[in-house]
């Protein structure tokens, strides 16, 4: 369980770094100004500048449920082969979602990645509940 958890933490760190680089590059090259980052209303930056920030925000949402599932698996010592495969499937869906969002932002593909990850997370929790309660 440790490896998929750390792989997802690595993705979050990578997206945070991309966000930092894109925003600072845009300010240094005068593509946008720092005014936007004071109030988030004026001087909107181009979409490509803010996509990593929106991706980072997404990684603060559903993946927190994955981290909780990982902690539960560690505490209950329930991480069979199927759970590990499911965990890697969830992480893969988040990597794909992040890549699609930042690079291409084609909503049907991005949504498909989201749904695949959500279903995977649902199965992880269903198996956890069944194992822990019974």
């Amino acid at each position: 369980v440790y490896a998929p958890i750390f792989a997802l933490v690595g993705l979050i760190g990578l997206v945070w770094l991309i966000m930092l680089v894109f925003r600072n590059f845009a300010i240094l090259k005068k593509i946008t100004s720092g005014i936007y980052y004071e109030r988030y209303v004026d001087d909107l930056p181009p979409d490509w500048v803010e996509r990593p920030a929106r991706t980072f925000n997404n990684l603060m949402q559903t993946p927190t449920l994955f981290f909780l599932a990982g902690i539960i698996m560690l505490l209950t010592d329930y991480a069979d082969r199927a759970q590990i495969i499911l965990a890697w499937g969830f992480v893969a869906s988040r990597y794909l979602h992040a890549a699609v969002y930042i690079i291409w932002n084609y909503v049907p593909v991005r949504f498909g990645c989201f749904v695949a990850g959500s279903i995977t997370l649902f199965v992880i929790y269903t198996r956890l509940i069944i194992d822990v309660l019974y």
Side-chain angles (χ1 to χ4, degrees):
V1 177
Y2 288 110
I5 289 171
F6 289 131
L8 190 53
V9 169
L11 174 63
I12 291 168
L14 176 63
V15 170
W16 176 82
L17 184 61
I18 292 169
M19 176 182 70
L20 181 73
V21 168
F22 278 32
R23 283 181 167 182
N24 283 291
F25 174 81
I27 289 170
L28 290 172
K29 294 295 182 178
K30 302 203 186 306
I31 295 168
T32 190
S33 72
I35 293 170
Y36 173 74
Y37 300 105
E38 291 174 12
R39 295 184 295 273
Y40 290 95
V41 290
D42 302 322
D43 194 27
L44 297 173
D47 183 58
W48 66 267
V49 174
E50 284 305 295
R51 268 194 242 152
R54 292 192 303 268
T55 304
F56 181 79
N57 184 39
N58 286 164
L59 289 168
M60 296 296 110
Q61 297 168 11
T62 307
T64 58
L65 296 172
F66 172 76
F67 291 130
L68 177 61
I71 291 167
I72 293 169
M73 283 188 265
L74 291 169
L75 291 175
T76 61
D77 200 30
Y78 177 69
D80 65 2
R81 183 175 174 83
Q83 284 296 82
I84 300 299
I85 291 169
L86 287 164
W88 277 116
F90 178 79
V91 171
S93 76
R94 297 313 303 180
Y95 268 83
L96 287 171
H97 182 273
V100 168
Y101 204 164
I102 292 171
I103 297 167
W104 186 27
N105 199 24
Y106 185 60
V107 174
V109 173
R110 196 177 91 209
F111 181 68
C113 295
F114 173 78
V115 169
S118 297
I119 291 169
T120 304
L121 192 59
F122 178 79
V123 173
I124 288 171
Y125 269 100
T126 301
R127 295 183 84 246
L128 269 176
I129 290 166
I130 290 168
D131 183 68
V132 171
L133 295 180
Y134 301 104

